[in-house]
Structures are given as C-alpha cells and as structure tokens.
C-alpha cells in the first residue's frame, strides 16, 4: 500500500536527524542492557491479551476495577514465572499504562516493611508478600487528614493484658481514605496510626494490619472497608482506592514495625535514634515519581512532536520549511510559536530522565547508610526529594496538558492517548504530599543550612554550598551576571552561577523575613505567612539541581569508560544544545527572580531571550530523533496521532469506527426520544 502524505512527512523528518538515535536511547536508559531489558518487558506485556487497551475508553468504573484486578493477577504471575525483580515489576507497571490495584503492594507495602521492620518481621511478612500469598497497601491518608501525620485520628492503643494493639477509628473522619488497593484486592495494610500507651500519645507509627480473611476474602469483624468511587477525569479507574474504618480492632503487639521505635511486652516505649528515620519510604515514593514524570512527559512530547510533524495548516512561509513539498500547506511543527512551546518540554523530559536517575542513586545511598545507622544524608535527601516531587509533578501535568493544546482540536480526542495520560499524572500534584505544602520541607532545610553555614561552613551539604556566597551580604549584593556576549549564555558555569545566586538570595531573604517576624512583637508573623516564599525558594532549588544534574549527566556520558554508554559524535552537540535550552528557558520562565535585584541587566535579559529562540530554531531538525530516542512503542503510547509510522488520520478514523455507537445504523433512543420530538408537530415534507 502506498504511503500517505502523513507517513512520508514523518519518514522524511527522520532523515534530517544528525545523531545516532540508538546511542541517545542508551544514554537515556543508562546503558544497552537496560534498553534491552525494557524492550523484553514490553514484549512480555504486549503479547498478553489481558493488557489490550482497545476497549478502555468504554469501561465503567465497576468493569474497570474488575479488569484491574484481573490485570493485577496476571502481572503477579508474570513476575513470578519469569523471576523478575522489583525494577522489572516497576517497568511492567509503566508499560501497562494504568494504575493497578496491586501497584502499591510492591511500591509501598513491601518497601515499608523492609525499611521499618525488624529482621524477624521481615522474615515473617516479606516471603509471603513476594509470593503474593498476601497482598498489601499503605494506609496513611484519612477522610479528615492527609499530610498532617501528628493529627491523624486513627489510634493504636496498647492493651497490656493481652499484649495487643487496639486499632480504632476515633471518629467518622478518622476513616482511612484514598488507599490504593484497599477497596477490593488487599488482604493486609501497613497503617499509620497514633500510638497510645497509658493515655500518652507517642505520635504516628506503622502497624501491619490484616484486613481480609485469607480463606474467603471477607473483611474481619471490626473492619468496615470499601471503594471510594470514581476519580476525576476518569483517571485511576482500574485502581480501587478504598476506605477503612476500624472499630476497636485488635492485632498482636508484634505487628507494630519496630526497627526504629519499639514497645516491649511491659509497654515500655523506646524512641528511634533519629525522629525521621521512617522517612525512607516517603523518599522512595517521591524519587519514583520524579523518574515517572520523565516517562510521562516524554510520552506526551513524543505524541505531540509526531503529530505536529504530519499536521499541515495554512501556507504561511516559515524560516524552517518543507523543502520537498513547497506547494503543500505548512507543517505545524515549523511555526516558531509551536516550536517555542514544544521544544523546551522535550528538553525538560531529558532533564527529568537525568534527575530521576540521580535521585534514585541518592535514595539507594541513603538506605545503605540507614541500614548501618548512618543518618548523615537523611535531611538533604528528604528535602531534595520533596522539592523535586513538587516541581517535577507540576511540570509533568502542565506539560502534558500543553502538548494536548498544541495538537489543536484533534488533541481533545481520547485517541491521542494524552487524556488518559493527563488523568494519570494530575493526581500526583496532591498525593505523596501536596505540591504547595511540600515545598516547606526544602525551605526549612535551607534555613537550617544557613545556620550551619554561619557557624561551620565546611559542614554545609553539597547541593546547598551556594549559600556560602551570601554570607558576606555586601559582596553578595554587588554580584552581577558575567554575560557580555550572547554566546556567553552557552557556558554551563554561567548558567549554574545564575541559578546558585538566585537560590542563595531567595533563601537568605526567607531567613531574614522569618527572623524579623519573630523579633517584631508589634507585627508578629507566623510560619504560614512565609509559605509563598517557601514555594519560590523550593522550586528555585529544584530547578537548580535539575539544571546541574542534566549538565552532569552529559559530562559523565561523554567520559564514560564503557563505549556502549558513551555519547558519540553529533549526539553530544545536540544534547548540549538541549541542556542549554533547558537551563535558559527555565531562566526565561522565571525571569523576575533573576532581575528584581539587578543580577541581570535589561540587555542581558534581551540576549537571553534571543539565545533561547536561537536554540529552539537549531533543534528543528533534531526533535523527531530526540523523541524517537525515548523508545516508546506504539503499545505504550496507545495514540492514533502519535504512532511511529505517522499515519495519523487513518488511525484516528479507524479508532472512531470502534465506537459502540457506530455498531447500529440507527442509534438507541431513536424510537423513544428522537422520533417523538421530530413528529411532535406532525409530518414535515421538504
């Protein structure tokens, strides 16, 4: 069959790519072995009928949950049949492209027990969990409370006579709510509850709580459990987010996870050596989200880039044009406004890949240290994961919606794959820490780092060393950007200096405002009065480490001793341009932060904008190759408009024919509603 114009356009665009796409893919996934393993996992999932996506758009909530349970069961079987590890399981979940009931079993239940349980508790719970003889979830959020752990209303009261905990929902709003997997599939939960001994509140602790019988799956007496119903935008519709109310439900004392905090048979409480040792599980979930945003945004930009390459509208001349078909309408991707909206998001996607990898390395290093009692990295890793979670999920959701808008009217079709993608991303802005509330973590951390910098500057942690430049306020106030010529913006040292200056200024401004608020009794200020500044400094720090890690990842790949991982030839130049675009576009988007104290001059602002435009234009021939390098197969994208072959219009037509309404020539409801309306005033002859 002859190729359509759509297909020819995308194929021709690929011929313009200057670099080796497979080499870029190896860079993104940190080596050929990871690329091959991911493709192996994709093949395992794609050939299973249960994971077919053709009817997803037509499923109601009840049918979707049942499908999700079936998919979960098969997913567990594949993991065991092929002896796959946790990373492979996470890849399978990514490829399935929907949030399944079993997801938090491996993503939270097992990690929490492994990180907070004693060796004996791990031995008891983990082997059956790994065999899916029990299925667990993580129950923290309540109907009335989420982020505020200290005010959770679920209690665990020690009953000395029977050596048990009494788990109780003390009020209607104490019901656990939004708990993934709890609505139908889970047999157990790790439950956050406030620990009470002899009336004394010791704060939130974690307990392994049996929920349903292993014989008939019925909830145990004393537990009221169910599904909270469908979610916004039709998202997470295969995940049975659940609720649970406990009515003085008893569990053994040993079901409290006691690696750090302990309670003896006599009811003696032993506090952990560090108050935040339990943060490891939160760091894991937030670190995974950063990596996940790279996957999500890269999928959205892949779909948008391919469709905008084949979509033609008007015949307006553009600097970048179709040299083969000058008589046809202009390809939408050649319009500068489209390029300036789309290309920076491709750069963000690459930066998210780099950040996700570094964040996971930091998490692994943290957990290795914690296992031997070393807590030195805990504060920085926790604060960094919090800041990045807030920032990365924000740009992930916003970027996916921007890709939809870039695609015009057709972008609103379910068959782009982006509506499902957006519905999967957008709740990440509020779960695992609300994106605005969460920024207080990095802000508090930086205030502590400022105190350290003033007394023991050598102890300031690596990613906060920029604070040292602001200790001398007079000298710091005279600091200005060093850019003279437009090409100076392409120096990574200049870029990092600008981000470091901005972070230091915002951190010290917050520090000074907090101190002044405490010292002015006539106009006292609370911490909440500074929350807007917390948000600014946290996102500034997140952007700084994103820029730094992207630059770092390129340097490491250029100098890799393993040839198959080493970036080669033109790929290096393209990736450096992409890194420059990421840094400078981030500055341009937040220009007020760099200008308000005179760090940038008006002339530098103008040259910055000009350099961003130049970088965007320089990548016009590379973007199709850059999104191909993400290596997302059509099975994963599930997009009529973003498929690899570019045959967008034919695929969109074919998808529309699968609409159940089209199975009948005359629709249901004609006799009941349409005909009576048409005939209400008698027969009409025209």
């Amino acid at each position: 069959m002859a190729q359509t114009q759509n297909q020819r356009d995308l194929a021709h665009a690929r011929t313009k790519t200057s670099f080796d796409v497979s080499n870029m893919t190896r860079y993104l996934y940190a080596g050929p072995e990871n690329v091959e393993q991911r493709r192996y996992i994709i093949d395992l999932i794609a050939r299973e009928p249960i994971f077919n996506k053709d009817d997803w758009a037509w499923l109601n909530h009840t049918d979707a949950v049942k499908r999700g349970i079936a998919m979960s069961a098969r997913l567990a079987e594949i993991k065991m049949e092929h002896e796959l590890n946790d990373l492979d399981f996470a890849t399978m979940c990514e490829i399935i492209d929907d949030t399944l009931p079993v997801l938090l079993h491996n993503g939270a239940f097992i990690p929490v027990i492994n990180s907070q349980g004693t060796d004996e508790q791990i031995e008891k719970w983990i082997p059956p969990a790994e065999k899916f003889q029990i299925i667990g979830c993580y129950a923290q959020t309540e109907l009335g409370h989420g982020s505020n752990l200290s005010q959770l209303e679920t209690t665990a009261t020690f009953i000395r006579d029977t050596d048990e905990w009494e788990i109780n929902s003390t009020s209607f709003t104490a019901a656990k709510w939004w708990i993934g997997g709890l609505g139908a599939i889970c047999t157990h939960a790790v439950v956050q509850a406030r620990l009470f001994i002899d009336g004394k509140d010791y704060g939130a602790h974690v307990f392994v709580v049996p929920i349903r019988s292993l014989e008939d799956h019925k909830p145990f007496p004393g537990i009221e459990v169910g599904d909270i119903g469908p979610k916004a935008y039709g998202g997470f519709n295969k995940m049975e987010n659940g609720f649970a109310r406990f009515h003085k439900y008893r569990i053994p004392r040993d079901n409290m996870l006691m690696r750090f905090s302990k309670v003896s048979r006599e009811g003696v409480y032993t506090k952990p050596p560090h108050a935040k040792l339990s943060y490891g599980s939160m760091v894991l979930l937030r670190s995974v989200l950063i990596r996940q945003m790279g996957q999500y945004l890269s999928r959205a930009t892949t779909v948008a880039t391919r469709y905008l390459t084949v979509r033609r509208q008007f015949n307006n001349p553009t600097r970048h044009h179709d040299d083969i078909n000058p008589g046809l309408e202009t390809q939408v991707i050649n319009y500068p406004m489209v390029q300036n909206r789309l290309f920076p998001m491709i750069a963000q996607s690459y930066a998210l890949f780099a950040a996700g990898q570094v964040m996971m390395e930091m998490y692994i290093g943290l957990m290795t240290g914690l296992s031997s009692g070393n807590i030195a990295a805990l504060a920085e890793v926790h604060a960094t994961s919090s800041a990045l979670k807030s920032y990365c999920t924000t740009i992930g959701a916003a970027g996916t919606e921007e890709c939809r808008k870039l695609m015009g009217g057709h972008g609103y079709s379910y068959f782009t794959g982006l509506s499902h993608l957006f519905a999967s991303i957008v709740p990440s802005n509020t779960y695992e820490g609300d994106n605005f509330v969460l920024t207080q973590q990095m802000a508090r951390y930086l205030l502590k780092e400022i105190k350290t910098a003033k007394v023991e500057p050598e102890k300031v942690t690596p990613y906060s060393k920029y604070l040292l430049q602001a200790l001398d306020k007079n000298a710091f106030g005279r600091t200005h950007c060093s850019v003279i010529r437009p090409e100076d913006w392409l120096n990574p040292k200049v870029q990092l200096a600008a981000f470091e200056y901005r972070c230091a200024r915002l951190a010290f401004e917050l520090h000074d405002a907090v101190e002044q608020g405490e010292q002015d009794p006539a106009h006292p200020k609370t911490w909440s009065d500074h929350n807007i500044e917390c948000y600014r400094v946290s996102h500034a720090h997140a952007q700084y480490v994103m820029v730094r890690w992207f630059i770092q990842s390129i340097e490491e790949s250029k100098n890799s001793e393993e040839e198959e991982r080493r970036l080669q030839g033109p790929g290096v130049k393209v990736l450096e341009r992409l890194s420059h675009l990421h840094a400078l576009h981030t500055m341009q988007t937040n220009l007020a932060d760099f200008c308000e104290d005179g760090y940038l001059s008006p002339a530098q602002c103008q040259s910055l904008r000009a350099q961003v435009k130049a970088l965007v234009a320089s990548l016009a021939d590379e973007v199709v190759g850059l999104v191909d390098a993400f290596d997302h197969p059509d099975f994963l994208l599930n997009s009529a408009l973003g498929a690899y072959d570019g045959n967008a219009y034919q695929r969109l037509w074919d998808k529309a024919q699968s609409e159940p309404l089209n199975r009948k020539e005359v629709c249901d409801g004609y006799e009941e509603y349409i005909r009576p309306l048409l005939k209400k005033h008698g027969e009409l002859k025209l």
Side-chain angles (χ1 to χ4, degrees):
M1 184 182 294
Q3 281 191 324
T4 64
Q5 185 62 46
N6 288 167
Q7 290 173 299
R8 289 194 293 272
D9 284 342
L10 191 54
H12 179 60
R14 289 193 171 103
T15 66
K16 297 181 179 181
T17 302
S18 68
F19 59 89
D20 181 350
V21 172
S22 60
N23 180 234
M24 192 68 79
T25 301
R26 292 194 294 271
Y27 157 76
L28 284 166
Y29 293 97
E33 62 281 359
N34 293 331
V35 174
E36 292 308 312
Q37 184 65 8
R38 182 172 180 269
R39 290 174 179 172
Y40 167 70
I41 297 297
I42 290 169
D43 182 63
L44 283 181
I45 296 301
R47 67 190 187 202
E48 292 281 342
I50 191 64
F51 301 126
N52 184 281
K53 306 175 184 181
D54 288 346
D55 66 345
W56 281 14
W58 329 123
L59 296 177
N60 63 36
H61 179 59
T62 302
D63 291 339
V65 167
K66 185 175 180 180
R67 178 73 62 82
I69 292 171
M71 292 167 69
S72 295
R74 184 61 191 134
L75 189 68
E77 291 170 353
I78 292 172
K79 183 179 188 295
M80 292 184 287
E81 287 169 6
H82 296 271
E83 298 181 346
L84 301 176
N85 59 32
D86 290 338
L87 183 59
D88 292 331
F89 185 84
T91 303
M92 285 198 294
C93 292
E94 169 208 329
I95 300 306
I96 286 169
D97 190 29
D98 215 344
T99 307
L100 299 183
V102 78
L103 179 65
L104 292 179
H105 174 73
N106 277 73
F109 181 75
I110 289 177
V112 168
I113 295 175
N114 273 328
S115 64
Q116 298 190 45
T118 64
D119 291 344
E120 293 77 16
Q121 289 172 323
I122 291 171
E123 181 62 29
K124 176 179 180 179
W125 298 109
I126 296 303
E130 289 180 337
K131 297 174 186 175
F132 296 91
Q133 292 173 299
I134 61 173
I135 300 173
C137 60
Y138 177 73
Q140 174 177 314
T141 302
E142 296 177 352
L143 191 55
H145 288 88
S147 302
N148 190 1
L149 274 176
S150 66
Q151 294 301 310
L152 292 179
E153 296 178 82
T154 304
T155 60
T157 302
F158 182 57
I159 308 300
R160 191 176 275 101
D161 291 345
T162 58
D163 196 27
E164 291 178 308
W165 297 105
E166 185 176 86
I167 309 297
N168 192 42
S169 301
T170 57
S171 70
F172 170 69
T173 55
K176 293 299 181 183
W177 201 264
W178 281 111
I179 312 305
L182 184 60
I185 198 172
C186 286
T187 62
H188 290 68
V190 284
V191 175
Q192 286 273 9
R194 283 161 61 193
L195 187 158
F196 283 83
I197 302 174
D198 297 330
K200 183 176 180 180
D201 182 356
Y202 288 89
H205 290 69
V206 182
F207 302 82
V208 179
V209 180
I211 301 294
R212 294 182 173 92
S213 167
L214 295 178
E215 297 300 321
D216 58 12
H217 209 59
K218 290 183 179 179
F220 288 112
I223 300 179
E224 185 181 352
V225 63
D227 185 281
I228 68 169
K231 277 78 70 176
Y233 310 114
F236 281 40
N237 69 340
K238 297 179 185 65
M239 169 71 88
E240 20 66 282
N241 293 84
F243 64 81
R245 294 177 72 188
F246 303 100
H247 305 285
K248 296 186 176 181
Y249 177 66
R250 300 285 186 90
I251 61 172
R253 176 178 56 86
D254 290 342
N255 280 31
M256 171 188 166
L257 296 182
M258 297 196 203
R259 176 174 292 276
F260 305 120
S261 304
K262 305 180 192 305
V263 175
S264 71
R265 175 65 184 87
E266 294 73 30
V268 177
Y269 178 81
T270 304
K271 67 179 182 180
H274 191 285
K276 296 181 179 179
L277 281 172
S278 62
Y279 280 21
S281 56
M282 286 191 288
V283 171
L284 171 61
L285 293 171
R286 290 166 185 167
S287 299
V288 167
L289 275 173
I290 296 160
R291 175 185 176 276
Q292 198 174 56
M293 289 306 115
Q295 290 290 325
Y296 282 155
L297 188 56
S298 64
R299 285 164 54 187
T301 54
T302 296
V303 170
T305 300
R306 289 175 178 172
Y307 175 64
L308 295 171
T309 299
V310 306
R311 177 73 168 175
R312 291 175 178 270
Q313 288 289 284
F314 308 109
N315 203 354
N316 299 328
T318 57
R319 185 171 68 171
H320 192 267
H321 57 272
D322 181 357
D323 49 358
I324 294 180
N325 302 289
L328 298 180
E329 290 180 279
T330 302
Q331 290 168 278
V332 173
I333 202 166
N334 288 338
Y335 288 108
M337 177 60 81
V338 170
Q339 294 177 349
N340 276 270
R341 292 164 65 194
L342 176 63
F343 295 4
M345 292 190 292
I346 297 174
Q348 280 183 332
S349 300
Y350 272 74
L352 283 165
F353 268 74
Q357 188 162 329
V358 177
M359 196 66 245
M360 284 305 299
E361 290 170 358
M362 289 179 72
Y363 166 75
I364 292 168
L366 168 67
M367 298 310 293
T368 301
L370 290 181
S371 66
S372 59
N374 183 354
I375 63 172
L378 179 57
E380 181 173 45
V381 176
H382 175 253
T384 303
S385 68
S386 299
L388 282 169
K389 184 273 175 186
S390 172
Y391 176 66
C392 295
T393 57
T394 296
I395 63 174
T400 300
E401 171 63 2
E402 185 66 14
C403 285
R404 182 197 66 78
K405 291 187 287 189
L406 274 163
M407 296 170 70
H410 289 331
Y412 195 60
S413 170
Y414 177 87
F415 301 125
T416 63
L418 295 193
S419 65
H420 173 79
L421 189 60
F422 179 76
S424 298
I425 297 173
V426 75
S428 68
N429 282 226
T430 45
Y431 67 61
E432 293 308 321
D434 172 88
N435 277 3
F436 290 87
V437 176
L438 198 57
T439 56
Q440 296 176 57
Q441 300 290 343
M442 175 53 73
R444 290 185 188 276
Y445 171 73
L446 289 174
L447 293 182
K448 291 178 182 177
E449 286 290 280
I450 289 175
K451 290 181 180 179
T452 301
K454 290 180 175 181
V455 180
E456 297 177 288
E458 71 281 359
K459 292 187 177 180
V460 172
T461 49
Y463 296 112
S464 307
K465 286 191 180 298
Y466 58 71
L467 295 171
L468 300 178
Q469 65 181 298
L471 291 175
D472 184 339
K473 287 192 175 183
N474 291 329
F476 185 68
R478 295 191 298 271
T479 304
H480 299 287
C481 178
S482 62
V483 166
I484 299 174
R485 301 165 301 170
E487 56 267 31
D488 293 343
W489 285 117
L490 304 182
N491 183 342
K493 291 181 179 179
V494 170
Q495 297 164 11
L496 288 172
F499 280 94
E500 289 173 346
Y501 177 88
R502 173 206 189 196
C503 287
R505 181 177 68 81
L506 293 177
F508 270 87
E509 284 182 0
L510 174 62
H511 169 269
D512 293 346
V514 170
E515 280 199 343
Q516 290 168 10
E518 293 172 346
Q519 295 168 3
D520 185 358
H523 303 91
K525 288 187 177 181
T526 66
W527 175 250
S528 297
D529 292 318
H530 304 292
N531 285 174
I532 296 171
E533 289 73 24
C534 290
Y535 182 87
R536 287 180 68 197
V537 72
S538 178
H539 275 215
H541 184 90
Q543 290 167 349
Y544 160 61
V545 295
M546 287 267 290
V547 168
R548 178 171 168 171
W549 288 345
F550 194 2
I551 294 169
Q552 175 183 308
S553 74
I554 297 171
E555 289 303 310
E556 289 175 352
S557 295
K558 282 165 54 178
N559 300 316
S560 175
E561 295 181 358
E562 299 178 50
E563 186 174 351
E564 289 185 314
R565 293 192 179 197
R566 192 182 310 136
L567 273 171
Q568 299 169 358
V572 175
K573 299 298 182 185
V574 171
L575 205 52
E576 287 175 340
R577 272 183 275 154
L578 206 62
S579 174
H580 296 324
L581 177 59
H582 171 247
L584 300 183
H585 184 267
T586 302
M587 287 185 67
Q588 178 178 283
T589 306
N590 300 273
L591 203 52
D593 281 354
F594 297 91
C595 294
E596 61 186 11
D597 72 332
Y599 179 76
L600 293 187
S601 69
Q604 287 171 330
C605 292
Q606 291 174 344
S607 69
L608 171 67
R609 292 184 186 279
Q611 193 59 258
V612 168
K613 288 182 70 174
L615 286 166
V616 166
S618 75
L619 290 165
D621 286 337
E622 311 292 356
V623 289
V624 170
L626 285 169
V627 299
D628 281 352
F630 292 131
D631 204 38
H632 296 318
D634 287 349
F635 174 82
L636 173 58
L637 295 175
N638 195 31
S639 174
L641 302 185
Y644 186 84
D645 66 1
N647 201 14
Y649 297 146
Q650 183 63 56
R651 286 177 177 273
L652 187 59
W653 172 270
D654 292 343
K655 282 290 187 181
Q657 307 319 302
S658 68
E659 162 62 60
L661 284 173
N662 296 328
R663 293 172 187 167
K664 295 181 180 180
E665 191 173 27
V666 177
C667 67
D668 290 340
Y670 171 74
E671 292 294 342
E672 298 95 325
Y673 308 110
I674 301 175
R675 180 179 173 80
L677 178 63
L678 293 173
K679 305 301 181 182
K680 187 176 182 67
H681 298 288
E683 295 291 335
L684 177 66
K685 294 183 179 180
L686 294 175

